[in-house]
Amino acid sequence: MIKDLLISTEGHNSLFEQEIKQMDIPTCKVFLKDGALLPVGFEEEGTELYNKDTLKVNEAFKNSVSESGNKVLKARATNLTAKSGLNVAVLFSGGPAAGGHNVVVGLKRILGTNNKLYGVKAGPKGLLKGDLFEISDKDILSIANTGGFDYLGSDRTKIKTDEQFSMVKATCKKYELNAIVVIGGDDSNTNAAVLAEYLYDMGVQVIGCPKTIDGDLQVGDLLPISFGFDTATKIYAELVGNILQDTPSSRKYWHFIKLMGRSASHVALEVALQTKPAICLISEEVEEKRLSLDDIISSIAKVVVERSKKGINYGVVLVPEGIIEFIPEMKHLVAELNDKVAEFSSVLANKDKEEKREFIYTKLTAENTKLMASLPDYIEDMLLADRDSHGNLQVSLIPTERLIIEMVQRKVKEMDSSVPFNHQQHFFGYEGRCGAPTLFDAAYTYNLGLTAGSLILAGKTGYIASVASFDKEIKILGIPLTGLLNIERRHGHDEMVIEKALVKLDSPAFQFFESRRDDWASSDLFNSPGPRQLWGPSAKQMPMTVALNRVYSTLKFDY
Ligand code: FBP
């Protein structure tokens, strides 16, 4: 009997998965009429987007801007009459984030039975290769509320060459596509903006959906957070809470925990608010206050020594994954390395690690050569590793936590050699990306799917779907992608990309953290938030940073 039960749970069918696939997903009222699900129409919301490079962007994206005028759209209360005969493709792009499957579920349901939804296999690469399949109603039942991107797969291909554009056009023709939905982060939605412009003449609509656990795809009240952030931070907060609980139990270790989040420190800040560790570094603060590596190390060592005087020889330090690029001296080095790695990519490709280092020393300024040579080999090698196809340094591969531990150890010894400093290092990253979505992410993503599908049925192109105002009267929005583009340096030259939203030091979330962190450092005030819940007391809790920054009066979301 038990053996049969165990066999029946094989293939994504644990008792938990059986239950969540059946779970009702909270749905925004605007999509419901007499209990039936209906697409919404759109009207102008009243905001026109403008930023520092708008004029240049408007010039490069003439079609999209002439359509949208860079004006934000909001759902109209009246529902659209259903369309039929459309062929829509959906793809995941970039790193996985919990809830992606529910976007597909929402899309499929809102498009209805008279339109076809195609899944693109393995991300943008699949779009180039024309690797699509039709999504059935049965598939949808098996993926609802499940984690991961495994139903379609994903990749990080940037679509930019003429050859790639021709391949996309060929795919559109082959499947007679009317629309493409790109589910991705800042780089992937840059892809979506470019595709919308390029496919405009063919009449193929392109709509983006905001995904990334990093939480750095945000547009104030219009797009408070990307999906996947809530699930990832709740998973990390559970693990960090468990480690915090271990520290006064075993009383012997300092734990240095690197948390994923390529650039911005939203993940680290959220986890800190949820758990209250002794120390949490915030990359944006390091950059703005121009803290050197030595300043950071000294501040950590000081806390270690002072806690030791009180008999507390343990603690937790949260380190944001991307901090290395925010330390001013390292930022200069990385910027120069990015240019040189792009310029000499073919030469570097044929060299081993040691040869790469020797070669690059000859190409850097004297100051950067000195800094590079002072770093341990394991950091140097990772700084020279290949960038991803969007030109990003692969910070998840850089063991920053190890570097910090080694330097803190030396500093503590210098300050007071009697202080014990035993340490452990961790990296929480991949374990947060594919867990089953929290109720927040499950609802958010399903409604994003309904929004993206409605934008398509309303004939819109070049927008990113958004769900906002989580505290009351959820708003359904379409934000023009061109309004989010800025010029940044990538691969050694200027490119139009969606700017990453970083932690602001004048934001309510950072300021609350700043007001509490000294107390968290001097005595144990940590808490353990426990496992994420789909039902139970904390099921309806939204990210704390979102509630603080959007100045909500509640932590509970409401559909
Ligand atoms: P996205 O921006 O594509 O969502 O990916 C974010 C991320 O999870 C980062 O936090 C991390 O640095 C990176 O992906 C790791 O990438 P990879 O999966 O290529 O190792």
Side-chain angles (χ1 to χ4, degrees):
M1 269 300 273
I2 291 185
K3 282 183 191 161
D4 289 342
L5 178 71
L6 288 182
I7 290 168
S8 75
T9 60
E10 287 172 0
H12 301 295
N13 214 25
S14 65
L15 299 184
F16 174 69
E17 285 164 309
Q18 288 174 31
E19 191 74 26
I20 59 173
K21 283 178 207 166
Q22 320 267 344
M23 188 182 78
D24 281 343
I25 311 173
T27 306
C28 183
K29 291 176 202 63
V30 73
F31 294 110
L32 296 170
K33 199 166 183 203
D34 303 328
L37 198 61
L38 282 175
V40 291
F42 290 88
E43 63 192 7
E44 283 179 15
E45 178 266 358
T47 311
E48 184 174 336
L49 300 176
Y50 195 88
N51 55 42
K52 66 178 172 49
D53 297 315
T54 293
L55 293 179
K56 286 184 188 153
V57 172
N58 287 357
E59 189 54 32
F61 288 79
K62 284 203 177 85
N63 294 327
S64 309
V65 175
S66 73
E67 273 284 297
S68 72
N70 281 334
K71 289 183 180 145
V72 176
L73 300 175
K74 67 174 182 194
R76 239 191 293 120
T78 44
N79 298 103
L80 278 183
T81 39
K83 273 192 185 167
S84 60
L86 298 183
N87 294 324
V88 178
V90 57
L91 63 93
F92 294 134
S93 178
H101 288 165
N102 275 15
V103 181
V104 179
V105 175
L107 259 176
K108 176 79 182 154
R109 292 201 179 140
I110 207 75
L111 288 174
T113 47
N114 296 326
N115 300 297
K116 279 187 186 163
L117 180 64
Y118 288 96
V120 181
K121 286 191 192 162
K125 210 193 298 155
L127 192 64
L128 299 178
K129 292 200 291 195
D131 204 356
L132 278 63
F133 68 99
E134 193 181 337
I135 294 175
S136 69
D137 288 328
K138 193 162 154 257
D139 288 354
I140 292 305
L141 295 178
S142 69
I143 62 170
N145 296 322
T146 59
F149 274 9
D150 51 308
Y151 175 60
L152 300 177
S154 181
D155 91 322
R156 292 191 186 278
T157 301
K158 185 173 172 79
I159 300 176
K160 58 181 174 188
T161 65
D162 288 345
E163 192 195 347
Q164 286 174 317
F165 285 125
S166 306
M167 289 166 85
V168 173
K169 274 195 171 171
T171 300
C172 291
K173 281 192 191 133
K174 181 173 167 192
Y175 292 92
E176 297 179 355
L177 294 182
N178 302 94
I180 301 171
V181 176
V182 176
I183 302 172
D186 51 323
D187 288 331
S188 311
N189 275 288
T190 298
N191 257 348
V194 173
L195 280 178
E197 181 67 18
Y198 188 79
L199 298 175
Y200 187 81
D201 287 343
M202 266 182 100
V204 178
Q205 301 160 245
V206 181
I207 298 294
C209 283
K211 165 242 62 160
T212 174
I213 66 152
D214 295 0
D216 56 6
L217 184 47
Q218 295 183 17
V219 192
D221 284 336
L222 297 173
L223 201 177
I225 195 70
S226 50
F227 79 76
F229 175 81
D230 186 59
T231 308
T233 52
K234 281 182 178 149
I235 291 175
Y236 302 146
E238 182 195 355
L239 296 172
V240 170
N242 295 348
I243 289 178
L244 278 160
Q245 197 67 49
D246 188 282
T247 51
S249 310
S250 53
R251 295 172 181 252
K252 59 178 178 186
Y253 291 123
W254 273 89
H255 292 263
F256 286 71
I257 306 173
K258 183 172 78 171
L259 291 170
M260 213 174 226
R262 187 198 300 284
S263 284
S265 304
H266 299 292
V267 170
L269 180 58
E270 176 68 29
V271 174
L273 293 181
Q274 289 194 32
T275 59
K276 294 93 179 169
I279 298 172
C280 172
L281 302 175
I282 300 292
S283 307
E284 292 83 343
E285 183 179 25
V286 167
E287 180 169 40
E288 205 165 310
K289 297 187 176 164
R290 304 199 59 74
L291 302 178
S292 65
L293 189 52
D294 190 56
D295 293 332
I296 299 168
I297 300 304
S298 299
S299 68
I300 301 173
K302 198 165 153 243
V303 174
V304 171
V305 171
E306 281 175 3
R307 279 169 74 103
S308 182
K309 283 186 194 144
K310 294 182 184 171
I312 311 176
N313 289 307
Y314 55 81
V316 164
V317 181
L318 300 184
V319 180
E321 181 185 64
I323 196 165
I324 203 120
E325 285 192 275
F326 286 78
I327 302 169
E329 67 263 34
M330 294 297 295
K331 188 178 174 157
H332 285 138
L333 172 62
V334 170
E336 195 181 13
L337 280 174
N338 284 345
D339 287 354
K340 299 296 175 198
V341 167
E343 188 181 340
F344 298 105
S345 58
S346 49
V347 185
L348 288 167
N350 302 318
K351 296 190 182 298
D352 67 21
K353 285 180 181 172
E354 193 154 340
E355 288 167 343
K356 272 188 189 173
R357 276 187 247 135
E358 294 306 325
F359 177 81
I360 217 77
Y361 286 159
T362 65
K363 303 293 169 204
L364 298 176
T365 59
E367 195 188 353
N368 278 340
T369 306
K370 197 169 154 213
L371 175 58
M372 182 83 169
S374 73
L375 299 169
D377 289 356
Y378 60 84
I379 298 284
E380 279 190 89
D381 292 342
M382 289 301 131
L383 291 177
L384 287 173
D386 290 342
R387 274 49 181 166
D388 73 10
S389 79
H390 295 271
N392 298 308
L393 182 68
Q394 303 201 50
V395 283
S396 62
L397 304 178
I398 302 177
T400 327
E401 66 284 26
R402 179 172 161 197
L403 176 71
I404 293 178
I405 288 173
E406 286 169 8
M407 295 180 79
V408 168
Q409 187 154 34
R410 278 200 294 273
K411 190 64 85 181
V412 168
K413 216 172 193 171
E414 268 167 46
M415 285 178 168
D416 184 343
S417 59
S418 68
V419 169
F421 181 67
N422 301 309
H423 49 82
Q424 297 284 347
Q425 71 185 61
H426 314 262
F427 170 35
F428 297 151
Y430 298 97
E431 38 291 77
R433 304 198 303 185
C434 284
T438 55
L439 194 58
F440 177 86
D441 273 330
Y444 179 18
T445 47
Y446 179 63
N447 286 277
L448 272 178
L450 301 178
T451 307
S454 295
L455 283 164
I456 290 167
L457 293 167
K460 306 293 176 192
T461 187
Y463 289 84
I464 184 167
S466 179
V467 175
S469 290
F470 292 110
D471 57 334
K472 57 174 185 290
E473 282 287 310
I474 297 272
K475 283 191 190 140
I476 296 301
L477 303 171
I479 304 172
L481 285 161
T482 46
L484 310 180
L485 293 174
N486 266 314
I487 296 177
E488 267 182 30
R489 198 134 179 95
R490 297 278 179 99
H491 287 302
H493 51 87
D494 289 344
E495 282 185 22
M496 286 182 191
V497 296
I498 294 178
E499 194 175 21
K500 286 186 197 303
L502 301 179
V503 171
K504 293 197 176 90
L505 301 200
D506 59 359
S507 65
F510 179 81
Q511 291 194 342
F512 174 73
F513 162 72
E514 194 179 26
S515 72
R516 298 299 308 132
R517 67 178 163 190
D518 289 348
D519 286 352
W520 301 348
S522 59
S523 40
D524 268 349
L525 291 176
F526 69 82
N527 63 232
S528 186
R532 63 198 190 287
Q533 298 176 358
L534 286 165
W535 39 85
S538 63
K540 293 205 99 186
Q541 185 182 299
M542 70 174 96
M544 293 177 176
T545 44
V546 171
L548 284 168
N549 287 341
R550 305 281 50 96
V551 203
Y552 297 157
S553 55
T554 172
L555 267 181
K556 285 195 170 173
F557 63 87
D558 185 19
Y559 277 79

